[in-house]
């Protein structure tokens, strides 16, 4: 039990980011970030195997990325909890220098030094490093944590993050949505009565949530996002631009050299960050290639307005998502009292200008975009078993439903359903007489099965027809399904990343092939999603 001055055993609040991870704890009811062993407040979410075979985590892993890109795993947050065959993973395979392979359950996994690791294992190494760091800093053993995830993560991704926590030796007390944690860091114990919008543009994901704050009650009204939109997409626009210009000048494809590409990636990100502070920079990468014994350099001036042009549509996409989220609740931009910024990419001046234009107010200063999620997670952790605790009312960000024989998804749990929450229905008869009843569960915004993420299947004897089945979301937004099995009695199952049954795989593959044919037949359609580096590589 907590004492008035703090817990005997602190519970950590962890923001497991695409680029960086931040950890916080609460002492005397004040949340603080735990510094890394290098004195920094963030730990790069990078794991690597050095050329000598040492496992590296954090800044040391990131710092050797240029010379050892194939053995440096970054951006794991975009892969964790996803199927190897999913579109997202297939696209990321061309972006990432390391090898992404299929794991034993059909999930995405990575190869590091010839060995296959699951993504929970990789993220678990980052979390394990944080655990050691925090134990050293706080000089006591720590076994519990609250870990944040994007609001837009589906059930598989949430389960995989929980698994990463377990592998790091934590009892994961709660998975909390990042924007909700940020809102907590902003509003905890301030007695506010406000409607706020949390705009979270991180390294790999965009999340937006609208919350009503009433004292220490934090009610999420609506949420939305894109797990494929973040700082790396901004970097990729600059990378494309550099590759294109270099090709025009020298007819050399720098994308073919992993080391050159890694140097360009680093240069592009550094230029982008500098352009937040100054209006002009030069991307300067001497001796990037050699032609007939002569060195070729990248020396390209880039201005803030050029960067704005290269990335304007990405910023627009975030506002389209914000508008949709507000519309879902019948809210107008002028009904937002405060805008809270989260995520490093939200520092971009263009983002801030557009926010002012859109909401008629400057975003709230004083909430640190890199730290607020970890601080909020720590506050939640600290209040978990206290009487005057905070009350969080969160919502489901992506609907959950069951597949129909026509390849569509019938919604069971709707988007923005308050959690914990549940819905029951009666089991339908089997598709074929005498066969078992098959319930295939999917999550996603589309009505089409192929565009959704497969969560799991339940097979029940035909005798279960007409019996009740209950879909329940717990406070972590994890799905539990309970039903009355005529052979085994009442059962409850939850889902972790698992392989798709062969019959479903085939149905999905057929449907994908059909939609690809339709896209190719459409005027101007080339059947691909997005352009960017991937588009360039394909064009090249
Ligand atoms: P996060 O996932 O919140 O750690 O965000 C990391 C992303 O923020 C990376 O893509 C960084 O390049 C980007 N970032 C960090 N600082 C800045 C800055 N000052 N201006 C623009 N982008 C930034």
């Amino acid at each position: 039990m907590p004492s008035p001055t703090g817990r005997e055993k602190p519970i950590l609040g962890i923001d497991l980011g695409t680029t960086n991870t931040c950890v916080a704890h609460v002492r005397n009811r004040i949340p603080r970030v735990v510094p890394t062993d290098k004195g920094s407040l963030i730990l790069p979410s990078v794991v690597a195997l050095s050329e000598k075979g040492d496992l590296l985590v954090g800044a040391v892993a990131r710092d050797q990325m240029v010379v050892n890109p194939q053995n440096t795993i970054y951006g794991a947050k975009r892969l964790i909890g996803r199927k190897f065959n999913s579109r997202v993973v297939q696209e990321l395979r061309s972006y990432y220098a390391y090898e992404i392979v299929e794991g034993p359950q059909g999930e995405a996994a990575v190869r590091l030094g010839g060995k296959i690791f699951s993504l929970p294992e990789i993220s678990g190494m980052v979390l394990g490093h944080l655990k050691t760091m925090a134990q050293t800093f706080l000089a006591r053993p720590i076994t519990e944590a609250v870990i944040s995830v994007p609001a837009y993560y589906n059930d598989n991704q949430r389960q995989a993050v929980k698994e990463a926590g377990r592998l790091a030796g934590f009892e994961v007390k709660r998975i909390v949505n990042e924007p909700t944690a940020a809102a907590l860091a902003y509003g905890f114990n301030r007695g506010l009565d406000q409607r706020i919008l949390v705009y979270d543009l991180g390294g790999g994901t965009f999340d937006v949530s609208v919350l009503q704050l009433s004292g220490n009650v934090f009610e999420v009204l609506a949420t939305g996002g894109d797990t494929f939109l973040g700082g790396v997409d901004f970097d990729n626009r600059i990378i494309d631009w550099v590759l294109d210009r270099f090709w025009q000048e020298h007819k050399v494809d720098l994308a073919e050299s992993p080391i050159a590409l890694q140097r360009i990636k680093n240069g592009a990100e550094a230029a982008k960050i500098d352009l937040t502070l100054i209006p002009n920079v030069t991307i300067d990468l001497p001796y990037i290639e050699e032609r007939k014994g002569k060195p070729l350099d990248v020396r390209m001036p880039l201005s803030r307005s050029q960067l704005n042009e290269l990335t304007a549509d990405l910023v627009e996409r975030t506002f389209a998502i914000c508008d949709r989220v507000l519309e879902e609740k019948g809210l107008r931009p002028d009904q937002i009292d405060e805008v809270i910024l989260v995520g490093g990419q939200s520092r971009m001046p263009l983002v801030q200008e557009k926010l002012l234009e859109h909401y008629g107010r400057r975003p709230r200063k004083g909430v640190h975009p890199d730290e607020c999620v970890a601080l909020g997670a720590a506050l939640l952790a600290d209040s978990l078993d206290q009487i005057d605790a905070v009350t969080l009312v969160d919502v489901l960000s992506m609907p959950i439903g069951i597949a129909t024989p026509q390849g569509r998804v019938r919604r069971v749990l709707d988007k923005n359903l308050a959690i914990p929450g549940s819905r029951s229905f009666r089991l339908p008869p089997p598709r074929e007489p005498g066969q078992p009843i098959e319930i295939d569960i999917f999550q996603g915004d589309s009505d089409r099965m192929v565009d959704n993420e497969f969560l799991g299947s339940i097979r029940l004897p035909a005798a279960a027809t007409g019996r009740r089945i209950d879909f329940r979301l717990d406070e972590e937004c994890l799905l539990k399904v309970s039903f009355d099995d005529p052979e085994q009695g009442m059962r409850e199952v939850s889902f972790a990343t698992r392989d798709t049954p062969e019959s479903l795989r085939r149905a999905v593959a057929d449907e994908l092939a059909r939609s690809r044919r339709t896209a190719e037949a459409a005027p101007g359609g080339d059947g691909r999603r997005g352009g960017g580096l991937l588009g360039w590589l394909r064009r090249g």
Side-chain angles (χ1 to χ4, degrees):
M1 269 308 276
S3 72
T5 52
R7 289 170 177 273
E8 288 305 310
K9 266 176 69 182
I11 309 181
L12 299 180
I14 301 176
D15 170 12
L16 180 60
T18 308
T19 325
N20 295 304
T21 294
C22 184
V23 58
H25 74 116
V26 171
R27 189 144 171 239
N28 299 332
R29 308 208 98 185
I30 297 174
R32 295 165 216 268
V33 171
V34 177
T36 67
D37 31 16
K38 291 192 151 196
S40 161
L41 296 183
I42 47 177
L43 180 83
S45 316
V46 184
V47 171
L49 200 66
S50 76
E51 303 210 308
K52 293 206 167 112
D54 298 322
L55 196 69
L56 310 173
V57 178
V60 278
R62 185 201 51 199
D63 293 347
Q64 56 87 71
M65 182 138 58
V66 172
V67 289
N68 190 13
Q70 282 99 338
N71 282 317
T72 309
I73 315 291
Y74 54 90
K77 190 171 179 175
R78 291 183 129 186
L79 296 169
I80 194 165
R82 291 191 187 274
K83 301 281 180 317
F84 176 74
N85 285 328
S86 64
R87 258 180 236 191
V88 170
V89 171
Q90 290 308 311
E91 290 200 1
L92 286 175
R93 285 178 74 199
S94 355
Y95 281 83
Y96 288 174
Y98 55 85
E99 197 184 344
I100 303 171
V101 296
E102 184 165 8
Q105 300 282 304
E107 78 281 18
V110 296
R111 195 189 302 276
L112 188 59
K115 207 175 151 220
I116 293 176
F117 290 87
S118 71
L119 270 308
E121 280 173 329
I122 296 291
S123 295
M125 290 177 207
V126 175
L127 293 172
H129 190 83
L130 283 180
K131 185 168 181 273
T132 312
M133 237 170 60
Q135 290 185 147
T136 310
F137 182 75
L138 300 171
R140 51 184 126 169
I142 296 170
T143 51
E144 297 174 335
V146 167
I147 306 178
S148 63
V149 295
Y152 222 57
Y153 255 15
N154 65 34
D155 196 76
N156 288 336
Q157 293 166 302
R158 285 165 195 270
Q159 296 273 15
V161 169
K162 250 191 136 166
E163 173 69 9
R166 273 195 294 268
L167 291 172
F170 283 118
E171 182 188 339
V172 182
K173 301 295 279 184
R174 186 73 77 85
I175 293 287
V176 61
N177 288 339
E178 287 163 8
T180 313
L184 258 165
Y186 162 69
F188 181 72
N189 267 355
R190 291 181 61 208
L192 301 173
D193 186 8
Q194 285 183 343
R195 192 179 291 128
I196 66 166
L197 181 136
V198 180
Y199 179 100
D200 180 355
L201 189 56
T205 54
F206 175 64
D207 256 335
V208 56
S209 287
V210 179
L211 291 102
Q212 179 69 48
L213 311 192
S214 314
N216 273 348
V217 179
F218 294 74
E219 185 187 358
V220 180
L221 301 177
T223 187
D226 187 338
T227 44
F228 221 78
L229 177 58
V232 287
D233 300 300
F234 290 71
D235 302 347
N236 285 336
R237 292 295 169 84
I238 304 175
I239 297 167
D240 282 351
W241 176 82
V242 170
L243 291 175
D244 245 341
R245 287 199 46 183
F246 202 84
W247 173 261
Q248 307 288 343
E249 253 175 69
H250 304 287
K251 294 286 173 286
V252 172
D253 181 2
L254 289 178
E256 280 174 4
S257 153
I259 292 188
L261 196 55
Q262 191 55 53
R263 285 183 66 196
I264 297 170
K265 276 183 189 170
N266 292 353
E269 186 181 11
K272 174 191 79 175
I273 292 176
D274 286 348
L275 285 172
T276 289
L277 286 177
I278 50 176
N280 293 287
V281 294
T282 298
I283 301 178
D284 206 354
L285 304 167
Y287 215 143
I288 194 123
E289 255 298 340
E290 198 183 75
R291 161 98 64 78
K292 294 183 190 137
K294 271 181 56 190
L296 297 178
D297 306 331
V298 165
R299 184 155 298 127
M300 299 181 188
L302 181 67
S303 69
R304 187 184 289 164
S305 55
Q306 272 174 302
L307 173 66
N308 290 353
E309 257 173 52
L310 290 172
T311 57
D313 64 307
L314 298 175
V315 177
E316 283 309 322
R317 261 168 70 192
T318 66
F319 283 96
I321 296 168
C322 290
D323 287 346
R324 224 180 304 133
V325 166
L326 286 182
E327 274 161 25
E328 274 165 12
K329 280 283 147 185
L331 291 169
R332 295 184 313 271
D334 63 332
Q335 291 174 300
I336 296 296
D337 299 314
E338 283 291 355
V339 175
I340 310 291
L341 293 186
V342 185
Q345 189 62 45
S346 71
R347 292 201 181 93
M348 185 185 189
L350 181 65
V351 168
Q352 313 229 355
E353 279 161 31
K354 292 282 170 190
L355 280 166
L356 178 60
E357 238 172 61
H358 220 72
Y359 296 103
R361 63 183 62 249
R362 288 190 191 285
R364 179 82 187 184
K365 297 275 178 211
V367 182
H368 196 296
D370 291 335
E371 297 169 12
C372 61
V373 172
L375 295 175
L379 282 168
L380 177 64
D382 192 57
S383 81
L384 275 182
D385 47 14
Q386 293 198 16
I387 299 155
D388 59 345
V390 291
T391 305
L392 288 190
V393 185
D394 221 311
V395 297
L396 174 65
S397 63
M398 253 186 286
I400 292 178
I402 56 175
T404 69
Q406 294 75 33
R408 308 202 77 80
V409 175
R410 182 162 68 80
R411 298 268 158 86
V412 176
L413 300 171
D414 286 319
K415 181 173 160 67
N416 290 333
L417 171 82
I419 55 167
S422 68
R423 239 196 90 193
S424 305
F425 59 97
R426 301 252 167 222
L427 282 161
R431 285 173 200 164
E432 305 283 337
Q435 293 297 308
I437 302 167
E438 295 176 5
I439 305 283
D440 298 317
I441 305 167
F442 285 82
Q443 184 166 25
D445 288 312
S446 166
D447 290 337
R448 284 160 27 105
M449 186 174 82
V450 289
D451 297 331
N452 283 263
E453 192 75 21
F454 171 70
L455 298 187
S457 294
I458 293 167
R459 298 280 179 272
L460 282 164
T465 306
R467 294 190 186 197
R468 258 175 60 133
I469 180 166
D470 188 45
F471 277 45
R472 185 169 63 81
L473 289 170
D474 66 13
E475 60 279 298
E476 296 180 297
C477 209
L478 294 173
L479 178 66
K480 307 236 157 57
V481 180
S482 52
F483 46 86
D484 187 5
D485 184 331
E487 286 165 4
Q488 301 179 40
M490 280 308 290
R491 279 171 62 197
E492 183 181 80
V493 292
S494 58
F495 301 95
T497 308
R498 63 190 55 222
D499 202 0
T500 319
E502 197 42 48
S503 55
L504 262 183
R505 270 185 194 240
R506 270 200 306 276
V508 170
D510 289 351
E511 179 66 28
L512 269 177
R514 213 178 2 258
S515 62
R516 214 170 279 137
R517 281 197 299 274
T518 316
E520 275 162 11
D526 60 1
R528 71 183 155 88
R529 178 177 178 264
L533 177 63
L534 188 63
W536 194 92
L537 291 171
R538 283 190 178 144
R539 282 198 303 279

